[in-house]
Structure formats: C-alpha cells, structure tokens
Amino acid sequence: MTASSATEFDLDLPADTLPVIDDGTSAEDLDRMAKEACTAADFLKALGHEGRLMILCYLCTGEKSVSDLERLLSARQAAVSQQLSRLRLEGLVDARRDGKNIYYSLTDHRARQIISVVYSLFCNSGK
C-alpha cells in the first residue's frame, strides 16, 4: 500500500478504540485479548464469504424473504439457504416464518457496524 492509498482509507478512529500493547500490558490483559481475538476471528470467518456479505448488506436495509434474497443475489435457493444457515448458526440473523415464506433480519449490531465499515472502505470510496 502506498502512502497516498493508506490515507484514502483512514477512518479517523478515536485512539481509545485501537489496541495498545506494550511492555506495561499485563498478562491478564494479554490473555483476555487472546480470547477475544478467537471470538473476533470466528465472527470474521462468518463474514468471510461474498454471498454472506451480500446477504448482510441487503439485510441492513430491513427484513427480506428468502425469495427476495434469491432474486437480489441472482442465486439458487439452495445456495442462499446454505449461507443463511451459517449466518443463523453464528447468531447474526434470525428467521421468521409467515405462511410459506421465511423472512430474515439482522440480530447482531456488530454485523451492521462491520458492514458499514466494509461499505465505506470498499464500496463507497469513490464517492
């Protein structure tokens, strides 16, 4: 990454949101951070698929039926259902049945926050 591209993605995060690890960091804090790193890695793995990211993007605007998601993703029902199953397993989405239709919505605020950052970094950078 060049110096100019590094500033292109600068989110101006407050200093207290970034980790500080130095010689003064206690063993307990390092252990806690290692455990949280595992949790964060599992969360990011759930997002680590193009189809799941797109589903989450669509769900940021509100509840969608499986049929809506199939149409929006131009994907078969089996592929959409597989990705929804993974998102449901990770607790990121919830399902609601209404007759023959199943509707999905976001249940984890972290997913909305991550999608917002990803969108800012990768989709909205040229605007």
Side-chain angles (χ1 to χ4, degrees), residues 56-71:
L56 292 172
C57 285
Y58 289 131
L59 293 179
C60 280
T61 62
E63 184 179 71
K64 302 281 186 290
S65 71
V66 174
S67 299
D68 291 337
L69 293 170
E70 288 173 39
R71 183 178 44 77

Side-chain angles (χ1 to χ4, degrees), residues 7-122:
T7 58
E8 176 182 342
F9 294 115
D10 186 10
L11 295 177
D12 295 322
L13 295 172
D16 64 347
T17 64
L18 299 173
V20 176
I21 302 172
D22 56 24
D23 292 338
T25 305
S26 71
E28 293 83 19
D29 284 343
L30 288 174
D31 286 344
R32 182 186 52 78
M33 288 179 74
K35 289 176 186 170
E36 294 302 330
C38 287
T39 301
D42 289 342
F43 176 76
L44 293 172
K45 285 177 194 174
L47 302 178
H49 185 276
E50 175 185 348
R52 291 192 294 268
L53 280 175
M54 290 301 296
I55 288 170
L56 292 172
C57 285
Y58 289 131
L59 293 179
C60 280
T61 62
E63 184 179 71
K64 302 281 186 290
S65 71
V66 174
S67 299
D68 291 337
L69 293 170
E70 288 173 39
R71 183 178 44 77
L72 291 167
L73 294 166
S74 300
R76 296 180 323 209
Q77 187 270 335
V80 173
S81 291
Q82 180 180 20
Q83 300 311 325
L84 286 166
S85 176
R86 173 70 189 272
L87 293 170
R88 196 172 54 249
L89 178 69
E90 297 295 333
L92 300 178
V93 300
D94 195 25
R96 174 182 70 83
R97 182 177 289 277
D98 183 17
K100 292 183 179 182
N101 294 315
I102 301 175
Y103 294 88
Y104 282 86
S105 59
L106 288 178
T107 57
D108 190 324
H109 71 280
R110 298 173 304 169
R112 185 180 305 276
Q113 289 175 308
I114 290 291
I115 292 300
S116 175
V117 170
V118 169
Y119 182 78
S120 293
L121 290 173
F122 297 97

